Amino acid sequence: MKSHIGTFLSIGSPAVTELAAECGFDWVLIDLEHGCESEAALPNQLRALRGSNTLAIVRVSAPHPDLIARVLDWGAHGIMVPHVNTVAEARHCVDAAYYPPQGHRGVSRTVRAYGYGMRLPDGAMPKPIILAQIETAEAVANADQIAAVEGIDALFIGPADLSFDLKAQQSPHSYDDCVNSIVKAAKDHGKGCGILVRHADDKEKLKALGFTWIAMDSDLSLVREGFKRNLAAARAW
């Protein structure tokens, strides 16, 4: 299965989004859950990717059907949904993102995704990419069933949330055991598996596990670390 290398975009700047595409990322995650940008400003970030080969994945703040439909109508290639804990929640995401008969998304031929009516789909309607985030002990327990849901393309691990929840729930399972379980569930159903990577040194371990959707850090973290590094260098003069 092909590997997709991306990054998280939290600052909310179309210029940063455009720069990420210029650098050649396979995909970017535009973050409406924890990011600084508002939903109304999302179209300008999507416009910044026009003409590039970079996939636009938008993390919605919650699996609201109207929000999912708007994000896709505005031209996102897919969505990431946080805290998908059950099969019912996974199916709800698919139902909101897909047109009938697989889902219940409303059809409009004049939205930005179809050139405001100038680029109507020829034949079947495009299929959205759906990344379901596995971030709790409950989600890990249901990972195999979630991965089996038709329309879910990949299970995506949220390391911070998963680690926090395992401690909060006093789970007997280690973080590494949970990661292995999630990867296995994805592989067993022919689905992708992804994770946010904060340290490049982890790449060989994650590659060996079989991760196919890799997000290398975020714009905010990279700017923060760059500021800190340059400030430290300047103070040492």
Side-chain angles (χ1 to χ4, degrees):
M1 190 175 290
K2 179 185 176 182
S3 293
H4 307 273
I5 307 300
T7 191
F8 275 32
L9 302 180
S10 301
I11 292 175
S13 165
V16 173
T17 302
E18 188 173 33
L19 178 58
E22 289 283 356
C23 287
F25 281 103
D26 299 319
W27 65 287
V28 293
L29 188 285
I30 302 173
D31 193 4
L32 294 185
E33 184 189 16
H34 296 299
C36 303
E37 193 62 283
S38 68
E39 177 192 337
L42 176 62
N44 281 336
Q45 292 203 60
L46 295 173
R47 289 185 183 101
L49 296 173
R50 188 167 187 170
S52 75
N53 294 318
T54 303
L55 295 174
I57 307 296
V58 175
R59 178 159 66 177
V60 294
S61 56
H64 300 308
D66 57 336
L67 174 58
I68 289 173
R70 281 197 300 277
V71 163
L72 295 173
D73 282 350
W74 283 337
H77 297 97
I79 57 171
M80 181 183 289
V81 183
H83 297 288
V84 178
N85 295 319
T86 67
V87 172
E89 290 172 357
R91 288 175 177 159
H92 173 79
C93 297
V94 174
D95 186 71
Y98 271 79
Y99 295 114
Q102 189 167 350
H104 289 92
R105 178 180 163 196
V107 177
S108 173
R109 299 179 185 277
T110 59
V111 296
R112 181 179 180 272
Y114 306 131
Y116 306 104
M118 298 296 291
R119 290 183 282 103
L120 299 178
D122 183 15
M125 300 296 268
K127 293 183 178 181
I129 299 167
I130 303 178
L131 309 181
Q133 284 205 270
I134 307 300
E135 305 182 279
T136 65
E138 180 184 14
V140 174
N142 293 323
D144 185 74
Q145 293 171 296
I146 292 171
V149 173
E150 184 179 357
I152 297 296
D153 294 286
L155 305 183
F156 197 95
I157 297 170
D161 274 305
L162 181 56
S163 297
F164 187 90
D165 190 73
L166 292 175
K167 291 178 182 177
Q169 303 298 333
Q170 297 183 332
S171 172
H173 304 293
S174 71
Y175 174 81
D176 286 343
D177 285 343
C178 289
V179 168
N180 290 334
S181 178
I182 295 165
V183 171
K184 183 179 185 304
K187 286 181 178 179
D188 285 350
H189 294 281
K191 304 296 180 67
C193 195
I195 193 168
L196 174 62
V197 181
R198 293 295 189 185
H199 305 288
D201 292 343
D202 295 336
K203 68 180 187 300
E204 291 304 323
K205 173 185 176 182
L206 297 173
K207 183 179 178 181
L209 283 172
F211 281 95
T212 52
W213 287 83
I214 301 291
M216 291 299 301
D217 221 317
S218 71
D219 55 354
L220 192 59
S221 294
L222 292 168
V223 170
R224 181 191 67 226
E225 294 308 308
F227 279 165
K228 289 168 59 180
R229 183 174 59 252
N230 285 358
L231 178 59
R235 291 197 188 283
W237 287 352

